[in-house]
Amino acid sequence: MLGAVAALTFSVLTAAPALADESSEVLRELPIPAGTEIIEGTPVPPGTEPPQAGLSKAAPTGCLGPTAAYGVQGCFQHYGDTTWSGDTKSDGMSAAVGVFTNYGRASFVCLDTQGVNTWATCKKDYWEDGDVRLQVLRYDGDTGKFYEPENWSGWIPVDGQY
């Protein structure tokens, strides 16, 4: 009985998705939908962080839907329709933040290829009545492929009004 419990515990622990600070030993490629545009983000000045959400109800310009996985974090700033992509690990991979809509607009991926502890932004014009959803994952610029671990945000209103 004890052996069965130990085996079950081991399988549960090893089957859990990787968190923001955990890395997987084996890289597993993630397919990206056909037609997805890949954009190298615009670098932001060193030390610049995404604006924090909820600082002012009068001017809610914060970054919504913060999402993280090993080596990457991302969020959506509704004022200016800006996607933030940040690299958090020095591992030779780049941060990638995919953006998907609930109204049929083609998806795109915003890359931060500058290295660890940097941010990049990508701007798109979204329909104000729509929602976006973020997928954070890793990108290998040498192969042009995307890899786990990944994580998804919930649906984020483009107008910032929940």
Side-chain angles (χ1 to χ4, degrees):
M1 177 72 169
L2 185 56
V5 171
L8 178 59
T9 302
F10 179 75
S11 68
V12 168
L13 291 175
T14 57
L19 300 175
D21 291 330
E22 298 174 350
S23 175
S24 173
E25 294 285 328
V26 177
L27 291 177
R28 286 194 292 181
E29 184 180 349
L30 288 171
I32 297 297
T36 300
E37 182 181 13
I38 311 293
I39 301 173
E40 189 161 337
T42 302
V44 298
T48 302
E49 297 283 328
Q52 298 299 308
L55 295 180
S56 168
K57 293 204 182 258
T61 60
C63 217
L64 305 175
T67 307
Y70 175 83
V72 59
Q73 53 189 342
C75 61
F76 177 76
Q77 184 181 4
H78 75 277
Y79 183 78
D81 294 349
T82 304
T83 302
W84 289 74
S85 179
D87 193 327
T88 63
K89 295 293 178 193
S90 179
D91 61 0
M93 303 279 271
S94 295
V97 179
V99 183
F100 303 85
T101 70
N102 67 345
Y103 59 90
R105 181 185 180 144
S107 56
F108 82 94
V109 176
C110 181
L111 300 177
D112 175 8
T113 60
Q114 306 168 86
V116 69
N117 297 326
T118 60
W119 286 94
T121 60
C122 297
K123 294 181 179 274
K124 291 279 187 176
D125 189 23
Y126 292 100
W127 182 48
E128 293 302 311
D129 289 334
D131 296 330
V132 296
R133 189 170 185 211
L134 307 178
Q135 176 191 26
V136 296
L137 60 163
R138 306 296 289 148
Y139 176 73
D140 182 346
D142 293 336
T143 64
K145 295 180 180 180
F146 295 89
Y147 293 95
E148 290 184 334
E150 69 173 329
N151 199 4
W152 289 83
S153 72
W155 287 103
I156 304 163
V158 172
D159 66 3
Q161 304 299 313
Y162 281 96

